[in-house]
Amino acid sequence: MLRGARSHLPASVAPAAVLAAALLSSFARCSLPGRGDPVASVLSPYFGTKTRYEDANPWLLVDPVAPRRDPELLAGTCTPVQLVALIRHGTRYPTTKQIRKLKQLQGLLQTRESRDGGSQVAAALAEWPLWYGDWMDGQLVEKGRQDMRQLALRLAALFPDLFSRENYDRLRLITSSKHRCVDSSAAFLQGLWQHYHPGLPPPDVSDMECGPPRINDKLMRFFDHCEKFLTDVERNETALYHVEAFKTGPEMQKVLKKVAATLQVPMNSLNAGNIHAVFPLHSVLSSLEVLNV
Ligand SMILES: *[C@@H]1O[C@H](CO)[C@@H](O)[C@H](O)[C@H]1NC(C)=O
């Protein structure tokens, strides 16, 4: 499915990147990437939890499974170790909600009045074939599976004693019920399988010694279940005051003004919600772009 999408990517990344850069430069004074710059690397540090592993750790581009650690760590000690890792799902498609916002934003560009006289970015984005379909809805992409397999291999190489064959059945994976998280857990286990059985195709996760990942939304999606959080924060207008103040405050107005000027659309047609959609879009594109090289 990705293969079909591929052909649109090279043309689509650049205008989206420039728009993201226009947004980001308002926050962080980063300049527009010049021609030939690796766009993903210039912008990636600004994507927070959506930053690619290889941008956070450039060594991965050299060898994605080589462990890098302080050689002294645990060397020659007799220290009991329990490893607890909180792992985010791998690279995924945008969600249906994000796709809808992007389509709205593009609709805005297509109906804008001043079509000539300037912004190539706006023109390119208006013409851009939005190849996202609702079915994609935040699902893991193949690169996301690879992220997880390689993460498993790195962890296993980093803690060889902990990830020994004898310990395999002591491993416990807990995941939320989100399909991208369940799929990430399965890919992680398949990566470990590669570690123990190089060259053999991994079986279904339900047939592995450690058992399949266990779904526990009460733990992994505590924000949907924790009554205290729901009443004290999520449904509490006072607690969320600063979120609203930020969305409508002077800094956001500055960003909206800048983006409206770049896209040549009326400023009142933009708000914090619809321009926020550009962030996941660009983080997804800069990750998927890797598939083209
Ligand atoms: C709502 O949030 C405010 C500010 O954080 C806090 O002082 C207040 O106790 C919260 N209300 C409830 C019902 O938890």
Side-chain angles (χ1 to χ4, degrees):
M1 275 168 272
L2 258 178
R3 192 164 303 145
R6 262 184 198 189
S7 56
H8 300 305
L9 279 171
S12 62
V13 170
V18 176
L19 179 55
L23 274 170
L24 288 163
S25 64
S26 307
F27 290 121
R29 305 226 162 277
C30 86
S31 57
L32 292 182
R35 192 173 293 174
D37 276 351
V39 169
S41 315
V42 173
L43 298 174
S44 297
Y46 298 97
F47 291 122
T49 57
K50 292 179 171 62
T51 297
R52 302 182 306 164
Y53 282 100
E54 53 271 42
D55 288 304
N57 177 3
W59 282 109
L60 299 184
L61 293 169
V62 181
D63 185 346
V65 297
R68 296 201 177 264
R69 70 167 180 197
D70 177 353
E72 300 295 313
L73 182 72
L74 304 179
T77 63
C78 188
T79 313
V81 175
Q82 180 181 29
L83 180 67
V84 179
L86 186 60
I87 300 172
R88 197 167 197 268
H89 59 76
T91 307
R92 62 164 170 86
Y93 286 118
T95 60
T96 302
K97 209 163 132 195
Q98 288 165 343
I99 294 170
R100 203 169 299 140
K101 280 189 190 172
L102 286 171
K103 288 186 175 161
Q104 276 169 4
L105 206 54
Q106 194 181 38
L108 189 68
L109 287 171
Q110 286 162 346
T111 55
R112 88 208 140 95
E113 283 164 18
S114 58
R115 283 197 158 230
D116 24 65
S119 174
Q120 286 182 352
V121 174
L125 282 171
E127 303 283 303
W128 180 42
L130 257 189
W131 49 269
Y132 300 111
D134 283 353
W135 65 267
M136 292 174 179
D137 193 20
Q139 289 195 63
L140 207 62
V141 296
E142 181 47 36
K143 168 155 171 44
R145 286 181 230 288
Q146 181 187 297
D147 289 337
M148 293 295 117
R149 286 193 297 265
Q150 292 179 344
L151 184 65
L153 290 171
R154 285 200 296 282
L155 275 176
L158 204 54
F159 298 98
D161 296 339
L162 213 53
F163 284 88
S164 62
R165 277 294 299 268
E166 308 82 74
N167 280 342
Y168 192 24
D169 63 354
R170 296 171 66 192
L171 182 78
R172 295 285 171 268
L173 247 73
I174 303 174
T175 174
S176 86
S177 61
K178 282 274 166 197
H179 44 52
R180 55 183 167 269
C181 300
V182 174
D183 292 347
S184 291
S185 310
F188 186 93
L189 286 179
Q190 281 161 354
L192 273 188
W193 175 268
Q194 272 176 278
H195 174 70
Y196 299 124
H197 312 274
L200 287 182
D204 196 86
V205 285
S206 54
D207 295 331
M208 292 184 179
E209 291 104 306
C210 60
R214 284 188 219 154
I215 291 174
N216 183 344
D217 278 342
K218 207 161 176 198
L219 180 66
M220 303 309 289
R221 294 183 63 82
F222 64 91
F223 41 85
D224 283 342
H225 299 268
C226 170
E227 204 46 51
K228 190 163 181 226
F229 174 75
L230 292 175
T231 46
D232 288 10
V233 182
E234 194 139 273
R235 298 182 199 130
N236 175 353
E237 284 185 15
T238 332
L240 295 180
Y241 166 80
H242 286 103
V243 177
E244 278 313 308
F246 174 70
K247 284 193 202 164
T248 52
E251 293 83 5
M252 187 57 75
Q253 290 302 308
K254 218 171 110 191
V255 173
L256 294 179
K257 203 169 155 190
K258 203 161 188 170
V259 173
T262 305
L263 297 184
Q264 297 176 325
V265 295
M267 192 172 152
N268 63 10
S269 59
L270 297 175
N271 57 46
N274 57 18
I275 63 166
H276 178 246
V278 174
F279 271 82
L281 166 71
H282 187 70
S283 58
V284 166
L285 284 181
S286 65
S287 297
L288 295 183
E289 192 187 21
V290 171
L291 299 173
N292 289 297
V293 293

